[in-house]
Amino acid sequence: MKRHERMNALLELLGERGSLDVEEAATALEVSAATMRRDMDALAQQQLLTRTRGGAVLSAVTYDLPIRYKRGHHAQEKEALARAAAEMVERGSVVGLSGGTTTTEIARALATRPDLAEPGPQPHLTIVTNALNIANELAVRPQIKTVLTGGVAHSRSFELTGPFSELMLRQIALDIAFIGANGIEPARGASVHDEAEARINGLMAERAEQAVVAVDSSKVGRRCFALIGGPGTFGTLLTDAGIPEAACEEFTERGMRVVPAPLPGDDPPSQRDR
């Protein structure tokens, strides 16, 4: 396991348990105690955890990990979602992308889709995003017109929020929008940790003819602080094939189409697409 992957795993484990001692973490991640101490010290310097005598606890500011530390989490599922999302987009469309690791993978899948990557005098796709990292990746691709909303940058998610973002979004129309979330429940809908991000994500969904909430199945059943919207906002839930059958049925009963993207070797999505 590479160091950044190990540090991702350590933060995820700490998020689940709240506190860890060095020996416990070293055993779980199959490294030496000395290596674990160095990793904990490095993360403490970044204020992502607080060192204790013999271990670490969650930092008071780590309600949500910075996006750079989330990239390795459920990577295979997010790549499957990205492939399925790219297939939902027609050439010439105007696509909205919120911030997040899943939507970042969707942006990459769209940027490398063969028919959209063809050179030509005009862009083949327009992408509107409030995520600085997504805009940075797409800006070098002339076949995609990249539109970035204004606003105030969030240091963890790289998302722009606030009245400037709202003003811009209210002036445009989107064909399809892919919105990431930290949790989603059939009854309550999709939610995130930050109320300003929730407001912009909800507005982006409202401006789209087709609004898709895109989350890996680990987010299903989770509830976070700020609501983005439910079936009245989103018509489609794009997730992976790990979604429980009972949850799939409940989302469907509440009016959402569920599209479980298959992992390599799984059954085609049409067998479970509702």
Side-chain angles (χ1 to χ4, degrees):
M1 185 183 295
K2 295 179 180 179
R3 191 182 189 212
H4 74 276
E5 295 173 338
R6 189 174 64 247
M7 294 170 81
N8 285 344
L10 172 59
L11 287 170
E12 190 167 22
L13 190 63
L14 190 59
E16 293 172 357
R17 302 186 186 181
S19 64
L20 288 168
D21 61 46
V22 170
E23 295 295 339
E24 179 186 10
T27 300
L29 300 180
E30 300 180 341
V31 296
S32 69
T35 296
M36 187 49 56
R37 289 190 188 93
R38 287 194 295 271
D39 287 350
M40 286 183 174
D41 289 343
L43 291 169
Q45 289 177 356
Q46 298 176 56
Q47 299 182 353
L48 294 173
L49 57 77
T50 300
R51 287 287 269 124
T52 61
R53 186 169 183 175
V57 297
L58 280 176
S59 171
V61 301
T62 56
Y63 71 94
D64 191 20
L65 298 180
I67 194 171
R68 63 183 177 276
Y69 285 104
K70 292 182 176 180
R71 182 168 292 179
H73 296 183
H74 308 285
Q76 196 174 33
E77 290 83 355
K78 290 173 182 177
E79 289 172 3
L81 290 186
R83 290 190 296 269
E87 293 175 1
M88 298 171 67
V89 175
E90 297 183 4
R91 183 165 166 154
S93 295
V94 180
V95 181
L97 292 176
S98 73
T101 52
T102 300
T103 47
T104 298
E105 289 298 329
I106 293 173
R108 292 168 180 158
L110 288 169
T112 56
R113 204 176 87 178
D115 64 316
L116 299 178
E118 295 172 354
Q122 299 294 330
H124 304 314
L125 199 67
T126 298
I127 290 183
V128 178
T129 185
N130 68 319
L132 291 169
N133 66 304
I134 290 176
N136 182 61
E137 289 198 26
L138 296 179
V140 297
R141 299 182 180 275
Q143 75 276 17
I144 294 177
K145 178 181 178 180
T146 304
V147 180
L148 183 64
T149 70
V152 178
H154 195 292
S155 62
R156 293 180 178 272
S157 67
F158 302 151
E159 289 183 74
L160 299 172
T161 62
F164 291 115
S165 295
E166 293 182 32
L167 180 64
M168 184 272 184
L169 287 171
R170 293 188 189 280
Q171 306 304 312
I172 64 172
L174 306 170
D175 295 308
I176 187 169
F178 296 99
I179 307 298
N182 298 115
I184 185 167
E185 298 173 302
R188 188 168 183 260
S191 56
V192 293
H193 297 296
D194 184 87
E195 67 277 9
E197 292 177 12
R199 183 176 178 87
I200 295 302
N201 291 353
L203 180 57
M204 186 178 290
E206 290 173 10
R207 304 306 299 169
E209 184 175 343
Q210 181 181 2
V212 180
V213 57
V215 295
D216 66 76
S217 60
S218 72
K219 310 290 179 57
V220 175
R222 288 187 183 180
R223 174 180 295 189
C224 300
F225 171 69
L227 179 67
I228 301 172
T233 302
F234 298 102
T236 302
L237 166 60
L238 176 62
T239 185
D240 59 77
I243 182 173
E245 187 68 27
C248 194
E249 292 175 357
E250 190 171 354
F251 280 114
T252 303
E253 289 170 0
R254 292 179 180 275
M256 290 185 73
R257 174 178 174 242
V258 180
V259 180
L263 295 172
D266 287 347
D267 293 331
S270 59
Q271 296 188 17
R272 290 189 63 196
D273 184 349
R274 297 167 186 270

